[in-house]
């Protein structure tokens, strides 16, 4: 099997994980979660979002959160930004990396960011230009790469077109979001093959939600094509507020367990990671969404 020797994990739990919670998680709890995640060796932790608090109240106070983050060498804290207003907030608190988010589905784009795909790309071009001029790094998401909650099947060429535009704007990495987790391995592989014709595979990340339990299989499929960046969420927290029924990202514990078992380095300590997942699951009074964490905690 042709697999990468090393994988970079992008932990999205504090953003993607918590944005969909019914209760607003206080800033101090979000901070403690991030501290524990940083202690586990994760090098990239998406910490929050500068989006409209009317749309996503759970991400309010992301400026306060960012200012209090434990800044350590070797850890990046990208923040989600939908427009110039979000970029202003990011610049005001010294953010060094932002993530912009477009979609391959028109209906999802309208529901999520209140504009068409074309309008979003036009808006993002200005955001990226300004961010790069200010010395920031920009990551780009494409949502609904394997299915849309409103439109169903999404054409891989539509995904490739949006990914190519974001990459051409200056996004250093394009994260391919299976927002509703409906994809299966061959579809995931075909989608990545289509995107890789227009964006180098080394610049691609897999952001797979695990709604249908397919995420690990899909990850293995795309890793064989050279994808070596995986987005995941501790204890499988989360989902998108504008993708009803979508559950969290693949659990980071599951990803680290799989990589460890295959001898692929990620730099993440599974035991410490499980402690972070246990902390937030306890706070939310929720059964830990990671099967790996449940299995290993039951053998303690
Ligand atoms: P809009 O209503 O069209 O924007 O929303 P607007 O410009 O008309 O502004 C409306 C109000 O929001 C105004 O306030 C603005 O000031 C304020 P008012 O005058 O009514 O008091 N506003 C802001 N406030 C704070 N920060 C901002 C900001 N912008 C405007 N940046 C908008 C358009 C894009 C703002 C809105 O739709 C929005 O915030 N959407 C975010 C939705 C979201 O966060 N979704 C979840 C993340 S995406 C995701 O989870 C998918 C992903 O994980 C990948 C995958 O899984 O596929 C990334
Ligand atoms: Mg997501």
């Amino acid at each position: 099997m042709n697999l990468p020797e090393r994988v970079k994990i992008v932990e999205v739990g504090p953003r993607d994980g918590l944005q969909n919670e019914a209760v607003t998680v206080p800033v101090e709890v979000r901070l403690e979660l991030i501290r524990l995640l940083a202690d586990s060796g994760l090098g990239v932790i998406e910490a929050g979002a500068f989006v409209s608090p009317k749309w996503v109240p759970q991400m309010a106070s992301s400026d306060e959160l960012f200012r209090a983050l434990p800044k350590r060498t070797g850890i990046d804290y990208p923040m989600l930004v939908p427009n110039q207003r979000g970029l202003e907030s990011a610049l005001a608190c010294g953010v060094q990396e932002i993530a912009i988010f477009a979609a391959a589905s028109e209906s999802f784009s309208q529901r999520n960011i209140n504009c068409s795909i074309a309008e979003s790309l036009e808006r993002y071009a200005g955001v990226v230009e300004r961010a790069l001029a200010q010395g920031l790094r920009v990551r780009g998401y494409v949502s609904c790469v394997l299915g849309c909650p409103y439109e169903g099947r999404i054409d891989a060429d539509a995904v490739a077109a949006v990914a190519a535009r974001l990459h051409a704007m200056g996004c250093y990495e394009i994260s391919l979001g299976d927002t509703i987790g409906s994809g299966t391995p061959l579809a995931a592989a075909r989608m990545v093959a289509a995107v890789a014709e227009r964006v180098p595979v080394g610049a691609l990340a897999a952001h797979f939600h695990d709604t249908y339990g397919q995420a690990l299989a899909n990850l293995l499929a795309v890793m064989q094509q050279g994808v070596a960046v995986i987005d995941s969420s501790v204890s499988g927290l989360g989902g998108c507020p504008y993708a009803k029924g979508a559950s969290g990202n693949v659990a980071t514990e599951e990803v680290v367990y799989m990589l460890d078992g295959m001898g692929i380095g990620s730099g993440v300590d599974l035991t410490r990671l499980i402690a972070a997942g246990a902390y937030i699951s306890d706070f939310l009074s929720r059964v830990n969404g990671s099967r790996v964490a449940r299995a290993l905690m039951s053998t303690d």
Side-chain angles (χ1 to χ4, degrees):
M1 222 184 257
N2 201 7
L3 290 167
E5 276 174 23
R6 219 181 147 72
V7 159
K8 178 175 88 174
I9 296 181
V10 176
E11 169 62 47
V12 296
R15 194 280 302 170
D16 207 339
L18 298 183
Q19 71 182 10
N20 202 30
E21 281 303 318
V23 292
T24 300
V25 179
V27 168
E28 28 326 342
V29 175
R30 289 158 68 186
L31 266 174
E32 179 59 11
L33 170 64
I34 294 170
R35 272 191 212 106
L36 292 167
L37 291 167
D39 286 346
S40 77
L42 285 156
V44 190
I45 304 173
E46 198 173 72
F50 295 117
V51 295
S52 165
K54 288 188 186 140
W55 285 65
V56 185
Q58 296 82 346
M59 289 292 105
S61 310
S62 281
D63 48 353
E64 183 190 336
L65 173 103
F66 188 85
R67 287 198 174 94
L69 283 175
K71 310 288 183 324
R72 298 181 199 167
T73 317
I75 305 189
D76 295 325
Y77 297 113
M79 302 288 283
L80 213 63
V81 159
N83 53 16
Q84 291 283 0
R85 164 88 194 269
L87 176 59
E88 288 306 326
S89 307
L91 290 170
C93 52
V95 168
Q96 285 164 348
E97 179 170 334
I98 60 166
I100 57 173
F101 49 110
S105 147
E106 282 296 347
S107 317
F108 186 80
S109 183
Q110 290 289 352
R111 302 288 213 293
N112 196 38
I113 49 173
N114 205 23
C115 64
S116 68
I117 297 171
E119 285 164 340
S120 77
L121 293 173
E122 202 174 306
R123 181 195 291 170
Y124 285 136
V127 171
V128 176
E129 190 182 10
R130 174 125 199 275
L132 294 178
Q134 296 287 324
L136 272 61
R137 278 155 49 94
V138 186
R139 195 171 196 248
Y141 281 105
V142 185
S143 283
C144 299
V145 299
L146 291 169
C148 168
Y150 312 105
E151 292 182 16
R153 210 185 140 270
I154 296 293
D155 197 65
D157 291 336
V159 179
V162 177
R165 285 284 300 277
L166 294 177
H167 190 248
M169 272 177 212
C171 293
Y172 76 94
E173 194 166 273
I174 307 298
S175 179
L176 300 166
D178 184 8
T179 319
I180 54 170
S182 61
T184 46
L186 291 182
R190 285 186 195 117
M191 180 275 295
V192 164
V195 177
E197 281 180 25
R198 304 184 60 175
V199 179
V201 74
L204 299 180
H207 177 106
F208 295 164
H209 286 256
D210 202 23
T211 319
Y212 293 84
Q214 304 295 301
L216 280 181
N218 295 345
L219 284 175
L220 187 59
V222 303
M223 282 166 66
Q224 288 179 74
Q225 292 171 287
V227 174
V229 184
I230 296 176
D231 297 3
S232 59
S233 175
V234 69
S235 72
L237 291 173
C240 176
Y242 298 98
K244 225 173 178 332
S247 71
N249 292 81
V250 61
T252 312
E253 295 91 325
E254 262 72 333
V255 174
V256 172
Y257 181 86
M258 181 174 89
L259 295 176
D260 284 353
M262 297 195 295
I264 297 174
S266 70
V268 181
D269 180 290
L270 184 56
T271 308
R272 284 174 173 238
L273 179 66
I274 287 174
Y279 169 78
I280 193 64
S281 302
D282 281 354
F283 175 82
L284 296 168
S285 308
R286 169 127 1 125
V287 175
N288 194 314
S290 158
R291 295 165 72 169
V292 166
R294 291 205 303 271
L296 291 176
M297 286 195 295
S298 71
T299 56
D300 280 351

